[in-house]
Amino acid sequence: MTSGVASACPQCGAPLRFGGAASLAAVCAYCRFASLRTGARLEVAGKVPDLVATETRLSIGTAGKFDGRTFLLLGRLQLSQGEAVWNEWYASFGDASWGWVAEAQGRLYVTFPKEGAAGLPPLRALQPGMEIRLPGVGRAVVDELNQARLVSFEGELPVRPEVGETWRYADCSTDSGGFLTLDYGSGGDVVLYAGREVGYAEAGLADCAPAAAPSQTSARALRCPNCGGPIELRRPDTRAFACPSCGGLLDVSGGAFQVLGILESRSKPPIPLGTRGTLLGEALEVLGFLVRSITVDGERFAWRELLLHGDGGYRWLSVYNGHWLYLRPIAAARVMPLGRGFVYDRRRFKHFQGGPAQYEEIQGEFYWEIRAGETVMTNDYVSPPWLLSSESTPTETSWSLGQSVTGADVWKAFQLPGTPPRAVGVGEAEPNPFRRRLAPAWTLAGATLAALLLLSAVLVARAPHREVLALDVPLTPGEVTLSEPFDVTGRPQALEITAEAAVVQAWVGLDVALIEEETGESELVAFELSSFSGVEDGERWTEGSQHGSAVISSVLEGRYVLRVEPQVERGQGQVPATAHVRVVQGVFLPAPLGLAVLLVVAWPLLLTLRLVSFEKRRWQDSDHPWSSSG
Amino acid sequence: MRTGPYAVFCAVVAIAFLALEARGMNLLPESRHVTVPSSVRGAPGGYRTYRSWGGGGFRGGK
């Protein structure tokens, strides 16, 4: 795997080995002096400070694999942002190539130098969250802009390190899951390192993975430097801890704990710290609790968040007004801007709310250097039951994907006593309960309406529509006309009586009685036939109708006569000598069809109204109340 | 109402529609029922002079 050049430490004479083909420096394990290799010559570069204790389980000589190639860890850099220290391991591969293996938040990042990469953007052109295009890589998003100071190192290294030297860098992600570092060094040339995140198991380093959910006995039992009270750290990569006894916020990233301030905590975590459970298939442990707030137009909105850790890394549970969200970090490059929102995993998210959010209360432990009162810019985008959340600082933008869960889900997952507090209002990513019922309801309504229309067409086509009487009725006031008897045959059916008279500027009323001769059962209908027109205020008007019709329901088989008694108001108009009256048997009735249509659409219409009302309530507290959110 | 009960409801509505059409039942009554006494029916010209037809109560137009 390595070329293996054995030598002796120029400082103490102890054996010194340059195992990697690219190794330029090595630290003597005995005297801690660094030696730099220039050709076959070694020169002493000075004593290296002791390593800072970290919780890594990797070590020099650890072997792993990446994309089918094996590697060996030959050395490491210890870097720091402020007080926090992390390790970047120098990995030598069998094909003489090399890369860095970094550990962060329970994950591994393997990157390789891209020699000769040209057209890389200058540092001053970058901002967290911005999209860039890199040669040979394509689209990437800047996740973090920061600087790191070299604290210590050990073993072999492919660089000539100087303790105290500061590097500026930009960490980026790609939408294919890639991870990039643009290393701007201390102001010199930029070097691109490209690779991806890899799990410990995939890298053949399962035994070196940080414990996902350590047992209570494996947690570090320590004492608070402020009050002496017992504190227990559950995670090895914890950087900040809020003492439950005195409220002291401790920086625990270095060897010695430092008190950063005293916090006031008035709130009780909805799930006690240290509680373990399984939510959405992930085994989790509650590590920290935050109260955060955002002030919009002078109104403060506060919500609570729980930091969790599980097999998949860090997770969050957020609760506002009894509405819970389960969040996990995602790569920024997989979030694509679209209009005022974003697209993630082919799902479109609309902007909901944004603003500077403040940490008001802090309890428990955190993997970053959290500070009370610290403010980050937050923006939430929703596509229920999902939510995208971005949090930005001047140096970093991170994205999380949230999923709406119920209080009952949370209570069950962590086996909490009692019942969860009742949710108030509508949660920002709460699924609309009417949405999943609406589509089937409208589909069914559409199918039923289609069936009704088809049936109606068949009924219209098959209706007998048989004229059983046609009668000319003299329009002489007081003169009653009786028809000859006529037969209505067949099953009970509707009978339509129509009347027509070409009246002009006059009015005719017809009292019509359909009389069953044998029983005397009669149905009475009345028609008004009129036609008036004129001009008023320069506008022409017309009213009335020369035609009238009425339907008589369920007329039984039998012999009938029709009695017609006219009333006439002629005035200055014209009234014809007769009105024409017809009786038609077996007509199609539109009223049952209309009622059926109303009944069928009533339910999906109600669901639609309730869906709209639900969405209106969801958006009323957003930056885009319903009227403008569309 | 879940989809199942709603489907049943739709089926009932469709069947009711068919039944109403088959029986020629108009849901909005457009006529008034009167029973003419047999004495009227039996009398010559009784239909013409019977006073309880009610008529439309027309009181004229324009």
Side-chain angles (χ1 to χ4, degrees):
Chain A
M1 174 178 287
T2 57
S3 56
V5 177
S7 187
C9 172
Q11 177 67 23
C12 69
L16 194 64
R17 181 180 174 82
F18 282 83
S23 299
L24 296 176
V27 179
C28 175
Y30 297 93
C31 66
R32 294 284 302 156
F33 271 75
S35 297
L36 303 180
R37 186 167 76 169
T38 309
R41 203 160 53 85
L42 289 179
E43 59 182 78
V44 178
K47 187 164 187 184
V48 180
D50 287 341
L51 291 167
V52 175
T54 59
E55 295 290 339
T56 181
R57 297 190 193 178
L58 301 178
S59 62
I60 290 174
T62 299
K65 62 184 179 186
F66 182 78
D67 285 346
R69 295 184 296 157
T70 55
F71 64 78
L72 192 66
L73 300 183
L74 298 181
R76 65 165 153 165
L77 297 173
Q78 285 200 316
L79 301 165
S80 162
Q81 288 171 351
E83 296 301 325
V85 174
W86 77 94
N87 300 297
E88 299 252 357
W89 294 91
Y90 166 44
S92 179
F93 288 76
D95 56 3
S97 64
W98 65 276
W100 293 110
V101 177
E103 292 178 282
Q105 294 167 29
R107 291 173 286 183
L108 289 173
Y109 296 87
V110 180
T111 56
F112 300 91
K114 289 274 193 185
E115 301 292 348
L120 300 175
L123 181 63
R124 64 179 179 280
L126 301 182
Q127 282 183 340
M130 77 182 292
E131 280 186 53
I132 55 174
R133 297 200 80 81
L134 297 174
V137 174
R139 179 180 175 275
V141 173
V142 179
D143 295 327
E144 183 180 1
L145 279 180
N146 221 321
Q147 62 181 23
R149 183 173 57 85
L150 181 60
V151 175
S152 183
F153 51 93
E154 69 165 338
E156 299 173 44
L157 294 166
V159 293
R160 298 174 188 273
E162 260 185 58
V163 171
E165 189 181 2
T166 299
W167 287 290
R168 304 199 72 179
Y169 65 89
D171 280 346
C172 311
S173 56
T174 71
D175 46 10
S176 59
F179 175 79
L180 311 170
T181 295
L182 287 164
D183 183 353
Y184 291 89
S186 51
D189 292 339
V190 55
V191 179
L192 172 63
Y193 293 91
R196 65 177 172 87
E197 179 189 330
V198 59
Y200 281 85
E202 184 189 346
L205 299 170
D207 293 343
C208 301
S215 65
Q216 295 296 337
T217 51
S218 69
R220 284 186 287 165
L222 303 158
R223 295 254 164 218
C224 172
N226 186 54
C227 68
I231 59 176
E232 206 170 49
L233 295 183
R234 295 181 173 85
R235 291 286 312 156
D237 50 353
T238 292
R239 292 187 180 180
F241 182 85
C243 173
S245 306
C246 66
L249 181 61
L250 311 177
D251 181 338
V252 299
S253 59
F257 292 177
Q258 287 185 338
V259 181
L260 299 169
I262 305 298
L263 306 171
E264 250 188 66
S265 276
R266 302 174 296 277
S267 306
K268 188 179 165 192
I271 306 174
L273 302 184
T275 304
R276 278 178 278 170
T278 302
L279 182 61
L280 297 178
E282 291 195 291
L284 300 160
E285 181 177 27
V286 182
L287 300 178
F289 168 65
L290 297 169
V291 176
R292 304 180 72 184
S293 71
I294 186 169
T295 302
V296 179
D297 296 332
E299 191 178 355
R300 171 183 167 272
F301 296 90
W303 70 96
R304 296 174 292 167
E305 287 184 356
L306 292 158
L307 175 64
L308 314 148
H309 190 272
D311 298 334
Y314 285 101
R315 299 287 186 263
W316 292 94
L317 263 175
S318 159
V319 57
Y320 176 70
N321 275 352
H323 298 283
W324 293 80
L325 284 167
Y326 180 61
L327 299 114
R328 61 184 174 86
I330 55 171
R334 293 189 61 196
V335 184
M336 313 284 279
L338 182 68
R340 278 196 316 197
F342 284 89
V343 172
Y344 176 80
D345 203 15
R346 287 177 290 176
R347 184 178 272 269
R348 187 172 181 176
F349 290 77
K350 290 164 75 175
H351 184 256
F352 189 82
Q353 197 172 54
Q358 196 178 30
Y359 296 118
E360 290 193 350
E361 294 181 41
I362 302 171
Q363 295 179 37
E365 58 186 278
F366 300 89
Y367 60 86
W368 77 100
E369 295 163 18
I370 192 169
R371 299 288 183 268
E374 191 178 4
T375 296
V376 297
M377 191 66 192
T378 65
N379 274 294
D380 286 352
Y381 304 84
V382 296
S383 176
W386 302 96
L387 172 138
L388 277 181
S389 176
S390 80
E391 300 211 351
S392 301
T393 66
T395 60
E396 191 173 354
T397 294
S398 61
W399 285 87
S400 304
L401 177 68
Q403 183 177 357
S404 177
V405 289
T406 65
D409 292 337
V410 175
W411 251 240
K412 187 179 172 190
F414 292 93
Q415 296 178 334
L416 300 174
T419 55
R422 195 180 177 85
V424 178
V426 176
E428 59 183 329
E430 183 181 353
N432 192 322
F434 305 106
R435 191 172 296 282
R436 67 184 167 80
R437 293 155 68 181
L438 194 62
W442 273 120
T443 304
L444 204 51
T448 308
L449 292 179
L452 287 173
L453 290 176
L454 189 67
L455 287 172
S456 299
V458 171
L459 288 171
V460 167
R462 295 189 60 184
H465 214 270
R466 185 170 69 89
E467 185 179 275
V468 291
L469 178 70
L471 188 66
D472 286 323
V473 176
L475 293 177
T476 307
E479 181 178 336
V480 173
T481 301
L482 281 175
S483 73
E484 290 299 318
F486 59 93
D487 291 327
V488 173
T489 55
R491 57 180 165 73
Q493 55 200 291
L495 221 68
E496 184 183 44
I497 302 175
T498 60
E500 277 181 302
V503 293
V504 177
Q505 302 292 96
W507 176 91
V508 168
L510 296 176
D511 283 333
V512 178
L514 176 73
I515 309 159
E516 211 282 341
E517 277 203 311
E518 193 174 326
T519 62
E521 300 298 326
S522 304
E523 295 294 331
L524 310 181
V525 294
F527 298 108
E528 285 187 81
L529 307 177
S530 65
S531 172
F532 294 96
S533 62
V535 177
E536 193 169 317
D537 296 334
E539 285 193 24
R540 183 165 181 80
W541 58 267
T542 60
E543 70 174 33
S545 171
Q546 297 174 337
H547 176 92
S549 73
V551 170
I552 299 173
S553 289
S554 297
V555 177
L556 301 174
E557 190 175 39
R559 172 154 286 202
Y560 292 82
V561 293
L562 200 69
R563 177 189 187 274
V564 184
E565 182 176 356
Q567 294 181 48
V568 177
E569 290 207 2
R570 193 182 306 271
Q572 299 299 313
Q574 300 168 10
V575 174
T578 59
H580 187 65
V581 177
R582 293 173 71 227
V583 179
V584 175
Q585 175 188 357
V587 294
F588 175 78
L589 299 173
L593 176 63
L595 181 68
V597 169
L598 280 178
L599 288 173
V600 167
V601 301
W603 174 243
L605 211 55
L606 181 68
L607 283 180
T608 304
L609 291 174
R610 296 190 71 183
L611 179 140
V612 169
S613 167
F614 190 92
E615 289 301 318
K616 192 173 179 182
R617 284 190 291 139
R618 180 201 306 284
W619 287 90
Q620 70 184 4
D621 284 338
S622 75
D623 291 346
H624 317 281
W626 186 256
S627 55
S628 60
S629 66
Chain B
M1 194 188 295
R2 305 274 176 209
T3 306
Y6 178 57
V8 172
F9 174 75
C10 286
V12 168
V13 167
I15 291 167
F17 161 73
L18 277 177
L20 288 173
E21 288 290 351
R23 301 279 300 177
M25 293 175 74
N26 202 12
L27 294 167
L28 308 168
E30 297 176 31
S31 62
R32 189 165 61 86
H33 185 79
V34 167
T35 304
V36 181
S38 57
S39 58
V40 174
R41 282 182 277 140
Y47 288 143
R48 295 180 193 277
T49 54
Y50 177 53
R51 304 314 304 171
S52 296
W53 294 114
F58 296 132
R59 292 294 176 267
K62 289 282 176 181

